[in-house]
Amino acid sequence: TARLLIVEALGAPIEQNFRRFETQALAAASIAQVHAAELADGREVIVKVLRPGMRQIIQRDIEVLFALAGMLARWSSEGNRLRPVEVVREYEKTILDELDLMREAANAAHLKRNFAGDPKLHVPEVHWDLCRTNVMVMERIHGVPIGDIAKLKSLGVDFRVLAENGVAIFFTQVFRHNFFHADMHPGNIFVLPDDPANPRYAAVDFGIVGTLDPRDQEYLA
């Protein structure tokens, strides 16, 4: 199914765009999955493809959420205080944005520009000619998942530097660029331990990003 979706989106057989394409998914989540592949020039990439019919499923679920939020706001003073309808509306915007992989590719490119020349964070290169709203192709990252502490220890990674670099990356995104990766769970963060004494980070999955208004920046500071 994934191959058929990619062929339809790119308008060409898999073999025309990829020298190698792994049918078995490298990773899978609720709305998309990722396949490892190789371009004609040998560069390793990942191909992210949306699951079919996701927009219809999500829009149906959001309708239910709006109905429940509306009842909560009407019938409960505590519920009204928490503004449930506004919460669902914010969630709707975020989740529907995630269904546009061209938007995700743009987020990745923006973050990569922001960190150009900064060795602390590596952002994968986007292959724009192979990106569509439901298919995205970008550089494959070979790193150690941030949660694999045993592996990082065995490689001799300096955890103090790793922690300091992580804080610096976060502060730079939030306070200097005001454009930050907003889905930084451990599955999206890797360590590139080519220099264990000064380990670099790599990020993936740019479907959710955030900005703050000056008041919120001041509060967070």
Side-chain angles (χ1 to χ4, degrees):
T1 300
R3 286 177 64 98
L4 288 173
L5 288 168
I6 294 165
V7 167
E8 182 180 0
L10 300 181
I14 289 286
E15 296 74 21
Q16 185 171 319
N17 290 308
F18 306 101
R19 186 164 75 183
R20 177 178 59 83
F21 180 89
E22 295 184 7
T23 303
Q24 182 67 36
L26 184 67
S30 54
I31 64 173
Q33 65 189 42
V34 170
H35 293 260
E38 194 175 289
L39 299 179
D41 60 9
R43 284 180 291 177
E44 290 187 278
V45 294
I46 61 95
V47 184
K48 185 173 183 176
V49 57
L50 288 183
R51 298 184 184 282
M54 286 310 304
R55 182 173 291 274
Q56 292 82 356
I57 294 169
I58 287 171
Q59 285 178 330
R60 183 191 62 200
D61 290 350
I62 287 172
E63 286 178 13
V64 176
L65 287 173
F66 271 122
L68 293 171
M71 289 189 287
L72 187 63
R74 285 194 302 273
W75 297 339
S76 165
S77 58
E78 182 70 6
N80 187 58
R81 182 181 68 80
L82 295 172
R83 300 191 296 172
V85 174
E86 287 85 347
V87 171
V88 175
R89 188 173 295 122
E90 179 69 17
Y91 175 74
E92 178 185 34
K93 179 182 182 304
T94 300
I95 193 69
L96 292 181
D97 282 352
E98 278 201 271
L99 296 179
D100 183 354
L101 297 187
M102 290 296 286
R103 181 185 291 271
E104 179 176 346
N107 291 340
H110 190 159
L111 195 65
K112 188 173 183 67
R113 284 195 303 272
N114 285 350
F115 278 89
D118 188 336
K120 290 189 290 294
L121 178 66
H122 178 77
V123 178
E125 177 188 356
V126 174
H127 295 279
W128 282 103
D129 55 325
L130 297 174
C131 290
R132 304 292 186 271
T133 55
N134 65 332
V135 172
M136 181 179 67
V137 178
M138 61 170 32
E139 170 194 355
R140 184 177 180 182
I141 296 297
H142 290 284
V144 180
I146 190 68
D148 193 345
I149 304 299
K151 179 68 171 178
L152 294 173
K153 283 182 176 178
S154 72
L155 293 170
V157 170
D158 189 323
F159 279 75
R160 180 185 178 90
V161 173
L162 191 65
E164 290 175 350
N165 285 350
V167 172
I169 289 167
F170 174 74
F171 279 14
T172 300
Q173 289 183 75
V174 172
F175 296 115
R176 180 174 296 161
H177 302 152
N178 196 17
F179 182 86
F180 55 90
H181 194 308
D183 193 18
M184 293 300 279
H185 61 78
N188 288 341
I189 311 172
F190 295 84
V191 178
L192 305 176
D194 42 347
D195 180 4
N198 192 23
R200 298 184 298 141
Y201 282 92
V204 300
D205 195 350
F206 307 94
I208 306 176
V209 296
T211 60
L212 298 175
D213 63 32
R215 183 183 63 178
D216 287 336
Q217 283 183 309
E218 181 78 14
Y219 175 81
L220 186 58

